[in-house]
Amino acid sequence: MGRLDELRRFRLLQWLREERQSRRLILFIVFVALLLDNMLLTVVVPIIPSYLYNLDESADVALKNDSQSGQSAPGSFHSIVSLYDNSVRLSGANSTVRSVERVPPTAAAPAGLQNSSDCPHSSSTLVNENVKVGMLFASKATVQLLTNPFIGPLTNRIGYQMPIFVGFCIMFLSTIMFAFSSSYALLFVARSLQGVGSSCSSVAGMGMLASVYTDDEERGHAIGIALGGLAMGVLVGPPFGSVMYEFVGKTAPFLILAFLALFDGALTCCCLPQSQKGTPLFTLMKDPYILIAAGAICFGNMAIAMMEPTLPIWMMETMCARKWQLGVAFLPASVSYLIGTYIFGSLAHRMGRWLCALVGMVVVGISVICVPFASNIYGLILPNFGVGFAIGMVDSSMMPIMGYLVDLRHVSVYGSVYAIADVAFCMGFALGPSIGGSIAESIGFPWLMTIIGIVDVLFSPLCIFLRNPPGQEEKIVRFSAHCFKSSLTGKITVLLSRLGGDSSPHTDHRAVVP
């Protein structure tokens, strides 16, 4: 058995050495990186609103009990807030009799009714959670937004391996903090720290992927597969978090994600670093075509970003939704996003990426406006499906076109341009929750969805400018020569295959020109 184990280890190490520069291994690493990042991004969506609400309610009950005990019998009773299940327990003499008076009224509800967290009795406290939850969700994207301008040029200098490895280490630390944090301040720090790790892994990962897939069509297909990891993270995250939180506890889902971060971080060491000098970041930021593509990514994802903190609270307020339903409500959007990125990863190149993005932005706007018309969780299926599918169309079109614009108009080094793409993505997820929480608190959730829907529809015509972007003359000559060479090679291959098939006895060989 010992020799067999040594042989297996030797074969594994040999395979890793052979695959160090393999495009498949790099694609797998980026796939897992986006999967992990977005699972950690979305797994908190059903957990945090309910957890913070229960935490605040427990603190209010404890404060009320302390004031009551101070007036009646000082020092006789002590209230203890359990951070495990957010319940309030009493210690001291006659605690059994007095505990009936001091627990919230919903805790004594009949067994046939829903849990107290399902039907919150304090609607004012629940509405106030909008801003609190929105700021917590936006902290990750805000920190990532500030970090990306430094990570993009850094990858051009030192390569992609070290930033993506450091990103996994930071995400591991952030995930552990999420698992064991029991206060809003620690959760805020953990969420912000995740932004630094996400910036390192996503920018370096997408740049590394674009550098090994140089053909535009192949790159679009590869990025579509990588975005499938993002889609799977969005797909699995909310239901995974809600089910684990309901039946296991808050800690379990984050420990599983921490193990995934360790695994992919170790796998990253197998890739060779690459370093090249590309176009400066600020030069790319002045390119109007790159800005239009970045704007489509930003406003398209801002719709789902606004829904993440506000939709669960709106469901708790209007539908009396259970904990597991808060995450399952996002399942149609996640499934459709996975389908959209898979289909349009290759199809967008044929139909025109500008047209795919334009249609996607319009569908996002219409679907978002339809969300508040749902009266139960089943009414959310169709509009959420439309939102996810349309965002998949936008992302699978605009991510490859960012690399194409650099190839066409600048130096073909991709760290900085995908830093801009990640900045656009983060702006959506930074402004969405923070602004969305405030708007939902002031004018309501339906008006919030109407506003972002109109913005998406109004932005969509700008995608027409991406139909035929101009390039540098030298670049255009190279692209034309490359396209002519590819077309000529394909035609020669088809001709040779036909000539090879004409060697049958029934063929008139006089028609074949030597």
PDB file of all heavy atoms in Angstrom, residues 45-54 114 116-123 126 129 309-323 325-326:
ATOM      1  N   VAL A  45     -26.795  36.399   2.012  1.00  0.00           N
ATOM      2  CA  VAL A  45     -28.026  37.123   1.678  1.00  0.00           C
ATOM      3  C   VAL A  45     -29.204  36.667   2.534  1.00  0.00           C
ATOM      4  O   VAL A  45     -29.933  37.502   3.092  1.00  0.00           O
ATOM      5  CB  VAL A  45     -28.333  36.995   0.174  1.00  0.00           C
ATOM      6  CG1 VAL A  45     -29.722  37.522  -0.153  1.00  0.00           C
ATOM      7  CG2 VAL A  45     -27.286  37.734  -0.646  1.00  0.00           C
ATOM      8  N   PRO A  46     -29.467  35.363   2.688  1.00  0.00           N
ATOM      9  CA  PRO A  46     -30.582  34.964   3.551  1.00  0.00           C
ATOM     10  C   PRO A  46     -30.225  34.917   5.034  1.00  0.00           C
ATOM     11  O   PRO A  46     -31.121  34.874   5.874  1.00  0.00           O
ATOM     12  CB  PRO A  46     -30.927  33.562   3.038  1.00  0.00           C
ATOM     13  CG  PRO A  46     -29.639  33.041   2.538  1.00  0.00           C
ATOM     14  CD  PRO A  46     -28.884  34.203   1.974  1.00  0.00           C
ATOM     15  N   ILE A  47     -28.937  34.936   5.357  1.00  0.00           N
ATOM     16  CA  ILE A  47     -28.523  34.773   6.756  1.00  0.00           C
ATOM     17  C   ILE A  47     -28.514  36.108   7.492  1.00  0.00           C
ATOM     18  O   ILE A  47     -29.074  36.227   8.589  1.00  0.00           O
ATOM     19  CB  ILE A  47     -27.129  34.106   6.826  1.00  0.00           C
ATOM     20  CG1 ILE A  47     -27.183  32.694   6.259  1.00  0.00           C
ATOM     21  CG2 ILE A  47     -26.615  34.074   8.256  1.00  0.00           C
ATOM     22  CD1 ILE A  47     -25.836  31.995   6.217  1.00  0.00           C
ATOM     23  N   ILE A  48     -27.879  37.104   6.905  1.00  0.00           N
ATOM     24  CA  ILE A  48     -27.614  38.354   7.623  1.00  0.00           C
ATOM     25  C   ILE A  48     -28.887  39.103   8.021  1.00  0.00           C
ATOM     26  O   ILE A  48     -28.999  39.544   9.179  1.00  0.00           O
ATOM     27  CB  ILE A  48     -26.679  39.254   6.780  1.00  0.00           C
ATOM     28  CG1 ILE A  48     -25.308  38.597   6.645  1.00  0.00           C
ATOM     29  CG2 ILE A  48     -26.546  40.626   7.415  1.00  0.00           C
ATOM     30  CD1 ILE A  48     -24.610  38.332   7.954  1.00  0.00           C
ATOM     31  N   PRO A  49     -29.884  39.304   7.127  1.00  0.00           N
ATOM     32  CA  PRO A  49     -31.072  40.054   7.586  1.00  0.00           C
ATOM     33  C   PRO A  49     -31.765  39.404   8.770  1.00  0.00           C
ATOM     34  O   PRO A  49     -32.099  40.083   9.758  1.00  0.00           O
ATOM     35  CB  PRO A  49     -31.980  40.053   6.342  1.00  0.00           C
ATOM     36  CG  PRO A  49     -31.057  39.890   5.195  1.00  0.00           C
ATOM     37  CD  PRO A  49     -29.976  38.984   5.686  1.00  0.00           C
ATOM     38  N   SER A  50     -31.972  38.099   8.717  1.00  0.00           N
ATOM     39  CA  SER A  50     -32.629  37.406   9.821  1.00  0.00           C
ATOM     40  C   SER A  50     -31.747  37.381  11.064  1.00  0.00           C
ATOM     41  O   SER A  50     -32.221  37.568  12.187  1.00  0.00           O
ATOM     42  CB  SER A  50     -32.988  35.976   9.388  1.00  0.00           C
ATOM     43  OG  SER A  50     -33.557  35.251  10.450  1.00  0.00           O
ATOM     44  N   TYR A  51     -30.453  37.167  10.856  1.00  0.00           N
ATOM     45  CA  TYR A  51     -29.533  37.077  12.006  1.00  0.00           C
ATOM     46  C   TYR A  51     -29.436  38.414  12.732  1.00  0.00           C
ATOM     47  O   TYR A  51     -29.501  38.470  13.973  1.00  0.00           O
ATOM     48  CB  TYR A  51     -28.157  36.629  11.510  1.00  0.00           C
ATOM     49  CG  TYR A  51     -27.125  36.485  12.608  1.00  0.00           C
ATOM     50  CD1 TYR A  51     -27.149  35.391  13.465  1.00  0.00           C
ATOM     51  CD2 TYR A  51     -26.135  37.440  12.783  1.00  0.00           C
ATOM     52  CE1 TYR A  51     -26.212  35.250  14.463  1.00  0.00           C
ATOM     53  CE2 TYR A  51     -25.187  37.310  13.783  1.00  0.00           C
ATOM     54  CZ  TYR A  51     -25.229  36.214  14.617  1.00  0.00           C
ATOM     55  OH  TYR A  51     -24.297  36.085  15.618  1.00  0.00           O
ATOM     56  N   LEU A  52     -29.284  39.508  11.988  1.00  0.00           N
ATOM     57  CA  LEU A  52     -29.187  40.820  12.622  1.00  0.00           C
ATOM     58  C   LEU A  52     -30.505  41.218  13.281  1.00  0.00           C
ATOM     59  O   LEU A  52     -30.510  41.825  14.363  1.00  0.00           O
ATOM     60  CB  LEU A  52     -28.781  41.871  11.589  1.00  0.00           C
ATOM     61  CG  LEU A  52     -27.343  41.800  11.070  1.00  0.00           C
ATOM     62  CD1 LEU A  52     -27.097  42.890  10.043  1.00  0.00           C
ATOM     63  CD2 LEU A  52     -26.336  41.919  12.208  1.00  0.00           C
ATOM     64  N   TYR A  53     -31.615  40.861  12.646  1.00  0.00           N
ATOM     65  CA  TYR A  53     -32.913  41.177  13.247  1.00  0.00           C
ATOM     66  C   TYR A  53     -33.076  40.446  14.578  1.00  0.00           C
ATOM     67  O   TYR A  53     -33.480  41.041  15.584  1.00  0.00           O
ATOM     68  CB  TYR A  53     -34.041  40.788  12.286  1.00  0.00           C
ATOM     69  CG  TYR A  53     -35.424  40.911  12.883  1.00  0.00           C
ATOM     70  CD1 TYR A  53     -36.029  42.153  13.034  1.00  0.00           C
ATOM     71  CD2 TYR A  53     -36.117  39.784  13.314  1.00  0.00           C
ATOM     72  CE1 TYR A  53     -37.292  42.276  13.590  1.00  0.00           C
ATOM     73  CE2 TYR A  53     -37.381  39.883  13.871  1.00  0.00           C
ATOM     74  CZ  TYR A  53     -37.963  41.126  14.009  1.00  0.00           C
ATOM     75  OH  TYR A  53     -39.212  41.225  14.559  1.00  0.00           O
ATOM     76  N   ASN A  54     -32.763  39.159  14.604  1.00  0.00           N
ATOM     77  CA  ASN A  54     -32.858  38.393  15.855  1.00  0.00           C
ATOM     78  C   ASN A  54     -31.872  38.898  16.898  1.00  0.00           C
ATOM     79  O   ASN A  54     -32.160  38.910  18.095  1.00  0.00           O
ATOM     80  CB  ASN A  54     -32.602  36.912  15.582  1.00  0.00           C
ATOM     81  CG  ASN A  54     -33.705  36.281  14.757  1.00  0.00           C
ATOM     82  OD1 ASN A  54     -34.844  36.744  14.772  1.00  0.00           O
ATOM     83  ND2 ASN A  54     -33.373  35.242  14.006  1.00  0.00           N
ATOM     84  N   GLN A 114     -46.026  29.780  12.390  1.00  0.00           N
ATOM     85  CA  GLN A 114     -44.645  29.905  11.970  1.00  0.00           C
ATOM     86  C   GLN A 114     -43.805  30.424  13.119  1.00  0.00           C
ATOM     87  O   GLN A 114     -44.306  30.927  14.124  1.00  0.00           O
ATOM     88  CB  GLN A 114     -44.542  30.861  10.772  1.00  0.00           C
ATOM     89  CG  GLN A 114     -45.184  30.292   9.520  1.00  0.00           C
ATOM     90  CD  GLN A 114     -45.075  31.269   8.377  1.00  0.00           C
ATOM     91  OE1 GLN A 114     -45.147  32.470   8.589  1.00  0.00           O
ATOM     92  NE2 GLN A 114     -44.917  30.765   7.175  1.00  0.00           N
ATOM     93  N   SER A 116     -41.099  32.736  15.290  1.00  0.00           N
ATOM     94  CA  SER A 116     -41.155  34.173  15.555  1.00  0.00           C
ATOM     95  C   SER A 116     -40.345  34.962  14.555  1.00  0.00           C
ATOM     96  O   SER A 116     -40.678  36.089  14.222  1.00  0.00           O
ATOM     97  CB  SER A 116     -40.648  34.446  16.981  1.00  0.00           C
ATOM     98  OG  SER A 116     -39.305  33.994  17.094  1.00  0.00           O
ATOM     99  N   SER A 117     -39.253  34.356  14.039  1.00  0.00           N
ATOM    100  CA  SER A 117     -38.453  35.067  13.055  1.00  0.00           C
ATOM    101  C   SER A 117     -39.118  35.110  11.698  1.00  0.00           C
ATOM    102  O   SER A 117     -38.763  35.906  10.851  1.00  0.00           O
ATOM    103  CB  SER A 117     -37.069  34.399  12.934  1.00  0.00           C
ATOM    104  OG  SER A 117     -37.217  33.055  12.539  1.00  0.00           O
ATOM    105  N   ASP A 118     -40.095  34.214  11.458  1.00  0.00           N
ATOM    106  CA  ASP A 118     -40.791  34.215  10.185  1.00  0.00           C
ATOM    107  C   ASP A 118     -41.784  35.359  10.094  1.00  0.00           C
ATOM    108  O   ASP A 118     -41.971  35.952   9.043  1.00  0.00           O
ATOM    109  CB  ASP A 118     -41.514  32.879   9.985  1.00  0.00           C
ATOM    110  CG  ASP A 118     -40.553  31.699  10.030  1.00  0.00           C
ATOM    111  OD1 ASP A 118     -39.373  31.905   9.679  1.00  0.00           O
ATOM    112  OD2 ASP A 118     -40.983  30.609  10.432  1.00  0.00           O
ATOM    113  N   CYS A 119     -42.492  35.634  11.168  1.00  0.00           N
ATOM    114  CA  CYS A 119     -43.464  36.725  11.218  1.00  0.00           C
ATOM    115  C   CYS A 119     -43.011  37.741  12.257  1.00  0.00           C
ATOM    116  O   CYS A 119     -43.405  37.667  13.416  1.00  0.00           O
ATOM    117  CB  CYS A 119     -44.847  36.186  11.568  1.00  0.00           C
ATOM    118  SG  CYS A 119     -45.521  35.079  10.330  1.00  0.00           S
ATOM    119  N   PRO A 120     -42.147  38.672  11.888  1.00  0.00           N
ATOM    120  CA  PRO A 120     -41.632  39.635  12.864  1.00  0.00           C
ATOM    121  C   PRO A 120     -42.732  40.525  13.412  1.00  0.00           C
ATOM    122  O   PRO A 120     -43.558  41.046  12.661  1.00  0.00           O
ATOM    123  CB  PRO A 120     -40.602  40.439  12.060  1.00  0.00           C
ATOM    124  CG  PRO A 120     -40.978  40.239  10.641  1.00  0.00           C
ATOM    125  CD  PRO A 120     -41.613  38.890  10.546  1.00  0.00           C
ATOM    126  N   HIS A 121     -42.725  40.683  14.739  1.00  0.00           N
ATOM    127  CA  HIS A 121     -43.788  41.467  15.371  1.00  0.00           C
ATOM    128  C   HIS A 121     -43.457  42.945  15.437  1.00  0.00           C
ATOM    129  O   HIS A 121     -44.306  43.758  15.739  1.00  0.00           O
ATOM    130  CB  HIS A 121     -44.036  40.942  16.796  1.00  0.00           C
ATOM    131  CG  HIS A 121     -42.834  41.036  17.678  1.00  0.00           C
ATOM    132  ND1 HIS A 121     -41.817  40.113  17.651  1.00  0.00           N
ATOM    133  CD2 HIS A 121     -42.481  41.951  18.619  1.00  0.00           C
ATOM    134  CE1 HIS A 121     -40.880  40.436  18.550  1.00  0.00           C
ATOM    135  NE2 HIS A 121     -41.259  41.548  19.141  1.00  0.00           N
ATOM    136  N   SER A 122     -42.214  43.301  15.157  1.00  0.00           N
ATOM    137  CA  SER A 122     -41.804  44.705  15.200  1.00  0.00           C
ATOM    138  C   SER A 122     -41.477  45.156  13.784  1.00  0.00           C
ATOM    139  O   SER A 122     -40.368  44.975  13.295  1.00  0.00           O
ATOM    140  CB  SER A 122     -40.576  44.872  16.113  1.00  0.00           C
ATOM    141  OG  SER A 122     -40.167  46.214  16.126  1.00  0.00           O
ATOM    142  N   SER A 123     -42.460  45.724  13.101  1.00  0.00           N
ATOM    143  CA  SER A 123     -42.249  46.131  11.712  1.00  0.00           C
ATOM    144  C   SER A 123     -41.305  47.327  11.618  1.00  0.00           C
ATOM    145  O   SER A 123     -40.564  47.465  10.648  1.00  0.00           O
ATOM    146  CB  SER A 123     -43.587  46.476  11.061  1.00  0.00           C
ATOM    147  OG  SER A 123     -44.228  47.519  11.781  1.00  0.00           O
ATOM    148  N   LEU A 126     -37.831  46.062  11.675  1.00  0.00           N
ATOM    149  CA  LEU A 126     -37.533  45.380  10.427  1.00  0.00           C
ATOM    150  C   LEU A 126     -37.227  46.367   9.314  1.00  0.00           C
ATOM    151  O   LEU A 126     -36.297  46.175   8.522  1.00  0.00           O
ATOM    152  CB  LEU A 126     -38.715  44.492  10.039  1.00  0.00           C
ATOM    153  CG  LEU A 126     -38.521  43.563   8.837  1.00  0.00           C
ATOM    154  CD1 LEU A 126     -37.397  42.587   9.110  1.00  0.00           C
ATOM    155  CD2 LEU A 126     -39.808  42.836   8.523  1.00  0.00           C
ATOM    156  N   GLU A 129     -33.790  47.768   9.446  1.00  0.00           N
ATOM    157  CA  GLU A 129     -32.719  46.858   9.060  1.00  0.00           C
ATOM    158  C   GLU A 129     -32.286  47.081   7.616  1.00  0.00           C
ATOM    159  O   GLU A 129     -31.202  46.633   7.230  1.00  0.00           O
ATOM    160  CB  GLU A 129     -33.173  45.401   9.230  1.00  0.00           C
ATOM    161  CG  GLU A 129     -33.430  44.979  10.666  1.00  0.00           C
ATOM    162  CD  GLU A 129     -32.168  44.946  11.496  1.00  0.00           C
ATOM    163  OE1 GLU A 129     -31.098  44.687  10.924  1.00  0.00           O
ATOM    164  OE2 GLU A 129     -32.241  45.172  12.711  1.00  0.00           O
ATOM    165  N   PRO A 309     -30.269  42.932  -0.447  1.00  0.00           N
ATOM    166  CA  PRO A 309     -30.596  43.287   0.941  1.00  0.00           C
ATOM    167  C   PRO A 309     -32.063  43.630   1.161  1.00  0.00           C
ATOM    168  O   PRO A 309     -32.568  43.513   2.275  1.00  0.00           O
ATOM    169  CB  PRO A 309     -29.713  44.512   1.211  1.00  0.00           C
ATOM    170  CG  PRO A 309     -29.560  45.152  -0.115  1.00  0.00           C
ATOM    171  CD  PRO A 309     -29.581  44.042  -1.131  1.00  0.00           C
ATOM    172  N   THR A 310     -32.753  44.073   0.112  1.00  0.00           N
ATOM    173  CA  THR A 310     -34.113  44.590   0.297  1.00  0.00           C
ATOM    174  C   THR A 310     -35.205  43.548   0.071  1.00  0.00           C
ATOM    175  O   THR A 310     -36.249  43.597   0.716  1.00  0.00           O
ATOM    176  CB  THR A 310     -34.354  45.784  -0.641  1.00  0.00           C
ATOM    177  OG1 THR A 310     -34.097  45.383  -2.000  1.00  0.00           O
ATOM    178  CG2 THR A 310     -33.425  46.933  -0.298  1.00  0.00           C
ATOM    179  N   LEU A 311     -34.978  42.620  -0.863  1.00  0.00           N
ATOM    180  CA  LEU A 311     -36.010  41.617  -1.154  1.00  0.00           C
ATOM    181  C   LEU A 311     -36.302  40.707   0.049  1.00  0.00           C
ATOM    182  O   LEU A 311     -37.477  40.462   0.351  1.00  0.00           O
ATOM    183  CB  LEU A 311     -35.611  40.787  -2.374  1.00  0.00           C
ATOM    184  CG  LEU A 311     -36.610  39.708  -2.804  1.00  0.00           C
ATOM    185  CD1 LEU A 311     -37.952  40.320  -3.166  1.00  0.00           C
ATOM    186  CD2 LEU A 311     -36.060  38.897  -3.978  1.00  0.00           C
ATOM    187  N   PRO A 312     -35.282  40.177   0.765  1.00  0.00           N
ATOM    188  CA  PRO A 312     -35.618  39.355   1.943  1.00  0.00           C
ATOM    189  C   PRO A 312     -36.416  40.110   2.997  1.00  0.00           C
ATOM    190  O   PRO A 312     -37.353  39.559   3.594  1.00  0.00           O
ATOM    191  CB  PRO A 312     -34.246  38.927   2.472  1.00  0.00           C
ATOM    192  CG  PRO A 312     -33.343  38.992   1.295  1.00  0.00           C
ATOM    193  CD  PRO A 312     -33.833  40.155   0.498  1.00  0.00           C
ATOM    194  N   ILE A 313     -36.066  41.372   3.233  1.00  0.00           N
ATOM    195  CA  ILE A 313     -36.793  42.161   4.233  1.00  0.00           C
ATOM    196  C   ILE A 313     -38.212  42.433   3.757  1.00  0.00           C
ATOM    197  O   ILE A 313     -39.177  42.375   4.540  1.00  0.00           O
ATOM    198  CB  ILE A 313     -36.028  43.473   4.516  1.00  0.00           C
ATOM    199  CG1 ILE A 313     -34.669  43.154   5.156  1.00  0.00           C
ATOM    200  CG2 ILE A 313     -36.838  44.397   5.415  1.00  0.00           C
ATOM    201  CD1 ILE A 313     -33.796  44.361   5.360  1.00  0.00           C
ATOM    202  N   TRP A 314     -38.383  42.728   2.464  1.00  0.00           N
ATOM    203  CA  TRP A 314     -39.726  42.936   1.911  1.00  0.00           C
ATOM    204  C   TRP A 314     -40.548  41.658   2.008  1.00  0.00           C
ATOM    205  O   TRP A 314     -41.751  41.705   2.293  1.00  0.00           O
ATOM    206  CB  TRP A 314     -39.591  43.407   0.469  1.00  0.00           C
ATOM    207  CG  TRP A 314     -40.897  43.671  -0.221  1.00  0.00           C
ATOM    208  CD1 TRP A 314     -41.750  44.720  -0.007  1.00  0.00           C
ATOM    209  CD2 TRP A 314     -41.509  42.870  -1.238  1.00  0.00           C
ATOM    210  NE1 TRP A 314     -42.838  44.630  -0.830  1.00  0.00           N
ATOM    211  CE2 TRP A 314     -42.728  43.504  -1.605  1.00  0.00           C
ATOM    212  CE3 TRP A 314     -41.146  41.698  -1.886  1.00  0.00           C
ATOM    213  CZ2 TRP A 314     -43.573  42.993  -2.582  1.00  0.00           C
ATOM    214  CZ3 TRP A 314     -41.975  41.184  -2.863  1.00  0.00           C
ATOM    215  CH2 TRP A 314     -43.183  41.815  -3.201  1.00  0.00           C
ATOM    216  N   MET A 315     -39.923  40.499   1.785  1.00  0.00           N
ATOM    217  CA  MET A 315     -40.632  39.223   1.910  1.00  0.00           C
ATOM    218  C   MET A 315     -41.034  38.953   3.361  1.00  0.00           C
ATOM    219  O   MET A 315     -42.141  38.464   3.630  1.00  0.00           O
ATOM    220  CB  MET A 315     -39.750  38.083   1.388  1.00  0.00           C
ATOM    221  CG  MET A 315     -39.533  38.095  -0.115  1.00  0.00           C
ATOM    222  SD  MET A 315     -38.334  36.847  -0.641  1.00  0.00           S
ATOM    223  CE  MET A 315     -39.183  35.344  -0.106  1.00  0.00           C
ATOM    224  N   MET A 316     -40.153  39.262   4.311  1.00  0.00           N
ATOM    225  CA  MET A 316     -40.497  39.080   5.722  1.00  0.00           C
ATOM    226  C   MET A 316     -41.641  39.984   6.131  1.00  0.00           C
ATOM    227  O   MET A 316     -42.480  39.623   6.957  1.00  0.00           O
ATOM    228  CB  MET A 316     -39.256  39.353   6.591  1.00  0.00           C
ATOM    229  CG  MET A 316     -38.126  38.334   6.425  1.00  0.00           C
ATOM    230  SD  MET A 316     -36.580  38.843   7.232  1.00  0.00           S
ATOM    231  CE  MET A 316     -37.087  38.858   8.947  1.00  0.00           C
ATOM    232  N   GLU A 317     -41.700  41.161   5.532  1.00  0.00           N
ATOM    233  CA  GLU A 317     -42.719  42.139   5.903  1.00  0.00           C
ATOM    234  C   GLU A 317     -44.063  41.856   5.249  1.00  0.00           C
ATOM    235  O   GLU A 317     -45.114  42.010   5.893  1.00  0.00           O
ATOM    236  CB  GLU A 317     -42.225  43.538   5.506  1.00  0.00           C
ATOM    237  CG  GLU A 317     -43.156  44.664   5.918  1.00  0.00           C
ATOM    238  CD  GLU A 317     -42.630  46.007   5.501  1.00  0.00           C
ATOM    239  OE1 GLU A 317     -41.563  46.058   4.856  1.00  0.00           O
ATOM    240  OE2 GLU A 317     -43.293  47.012   5.795  1.00  0.00           O
ATOM    241  N   THR A 318     -44.066  41.428   3.975  1.00  0.00           N
ATOM    242  CA  THR A 318     -45.319  41.278   3.234  1.00  0.00           C
ATOM    243  C   THR A 318     -45.784  39.833   3.084  1.00  0.00           C
ATOM    244  O   THR A 318     -46.979  39.580   2.960  1.00  0.00           O
ATOM    245  CB  THR A 318     -45.179  41.895   1.833  1.00  0.00           C
ATOM    246  OG1 THR A 318     -44.128  41.220   1.121  1.00  0.00           O
ATOM    247  CG2 THR A 318     -44.851  43.373   1.933  1.00  0.00           C
ATOM    248  N   MET A 319     -44.842  38.874   3.078  1.00  0.00           N
ATOM    249  CA  MET A 319     -45.189  37.476   2.837  1.00  0.00           C
ATOM    250  C   MET A 319     -45.042  36.596   4.069  1.00  0.00           C
ATOM    251  O   MET A 319     -45.372  35.418   4.019  1.00  0.00           O
ATOM    252  CB  MET A 319     -44.316  36.888   1.716  1.00  0.00           C
ATOM    253  CG  MET A 319     -44.406  37.610   0.404  1.00  0.00           C
ATOM    254  SD  MET A 319     -43.322  36.840  -0.836  1.00  0.00           S
ATOM    255  CE  MET A 319     -43.477  38.003  -2.179  1.00  0.00           C
ATOM    256  N   CYS A 320     -44.504  37.149   5.145  1.00  0.00           N
ATOM    257  CA  CYS A 320     -44.265  36.356   6.355  1.00  0.00           C
ATOM    258  C   CYS A 320     -43.411  35.133   6.008  1.00  0.00           C
ATOM    259  O   CYS A 320     -43.707  33.999   6.423  1.00  0.00           O
ATOM    260  CB  CYS A 320     -45.596  35.914   6.965  1.00  0.00           C
ATOM    261  SG  CYS A 320     -45.560  35.754   8.751  1.00  0.00           S
ATOM    262  N   ALA A 321     -42.341  35.354   5.229  1.00  0.00           N
ATOM    263  CA  ALA A 321     -41.551  34.258   4.685  1.00  0.00           C
ATOM    264  C   ALA A 321     -40.692  33.608   5.763  1.00  0.00           C
ATOM    265  O   ALA A 321     -40.220  34.259   6.697  1.00  0.00           O
ATOM    266  CB  ALA A 321     -40.651  34.781   3.561  1.00  0.00           C
ATOM    267  N   ARG A 322     -40.490  32.296   5.608  1.00  0.00           N
ATOM    268  CA  ARG A 322     -39.615  31.547   6.497  1.00  0.00           C
ATOM    269  C   ARG A 322     -38.155  31.791   6.112  1.00  0.00           C
ATOM    270  O   ARG A 322     -37.848  32.326   5.046  1.00  0.00           O
ATOM    271  CB  ARG A 322     -39.931  30.056   6.433  1.00  0.00           C
ATOM    272  CG  ARG A 322     -41.353  29.719   6.909  1.00  0.00           C
ATOM    273  CD  ARG A 322     -41.637  28.243   6.738  1.00  0.00           C
ATOM    274  NE  ARG A 322     -40.728  27.435   7.541  1.00  0.00           N
ATOM    275  CZ  ARG A 322     -40.959  27.083   8.801  1.00  0.00           C
ATOM    276  NH1 ARG A 322     -42.071  27.476   9.400  1.00  0.00           N
ATOM    277  NH2 ARG A 322     -40.091  26.345   9.458  1.00  0.00           N
ATOM    278  N   LYS A 323     -37.227  31.344   6.982  1.00  0.00           N
ATOM    279  CA  LYS A 323     -35.810  31.603   6.735  1.00  0.00           C
ATOM    280  C   LYS A 323     -35.334  30.975   5.436  1.00  0.00           C
ATOM    281  O   LYS A 323     -34.622  31.602   4.649  1.00  0.00           O
ATOM    282  CB  LYS A 323     -34.977  31.065   7.913  1.00  0.00           C
ATOM    283  CG  LYS A 323     -35.159  31.833   9.209  1.00  0.00           C
ATOM    284  CD  LYS A 323     -34.331  31.189  10.305  1.00  0.00           C
ATOM    285  CE  LYS A 323     -34.530  31.901  11.635  1.00  0.00           C
ATOM    286  NZ  LYS A 323     -33.777  31.232  12.736  1.00  0.00           N
ATOM    287  N   GLN A 325     -36.969  30.293   2.824  1.00  0.00           N
ATOM    288  CA  GLN A 325     -37.564  30.918   1.652  1.00  0.00           C
ATOM    289  C   GLN A 325     -36.817  32.183   1.233  1.00  0.00           C
ATOM    290  O   GLN A 325     -36.841  32.565   0.059  1.00  0.00           O
ATOM    291  CB  GLN A 325     -39.026  31.252   1.923  1.00  0.00           C
ATOM    292  CG  GLN A 325     -39.921  30.032   2.071  1.00  0.00           C
ATOM    293  CD  GLN A 325     -41.357  30.395   2.416  1.00  0.00           C
ATOM    294  OE1 GLN A 325     -41.616  31.468   2.963  1.00  0.00           O
ATOM    295  NE2 GLN A 325     -42.283  29.498   2.108  1.00  0.00           N
ATOM    296  N   LEU A 326     -36.132  32.828   2.183  1.00  0.00           N
ATOM    297  CA  LEU A 326     -35.404  34.058   1.872  1.00  0.00           C
ATOM    298  C   LEU A 326     -34.282  33.799   0.879  1.00  0.00           C
ATOM    299  O   LEU A 326     -33.945  34.667   0.062  1.00  0.00           O
ATOM    300  CB  LEU A 326     -34.840  34.676   3.160  1.00  0.00           C
ATOM    301  CG  LEU A 326     -35.863  35.015   4.255  1.00  0.00           C
ATOM    302  CD1 LEU A 326     -35.163  35.612   5.457  1.00  0.00           C
ATOM    303  CD2 LEU A 326     -36.933  35.961   3.722  1.00  0.00           C
TER     304      LEU A 326
END
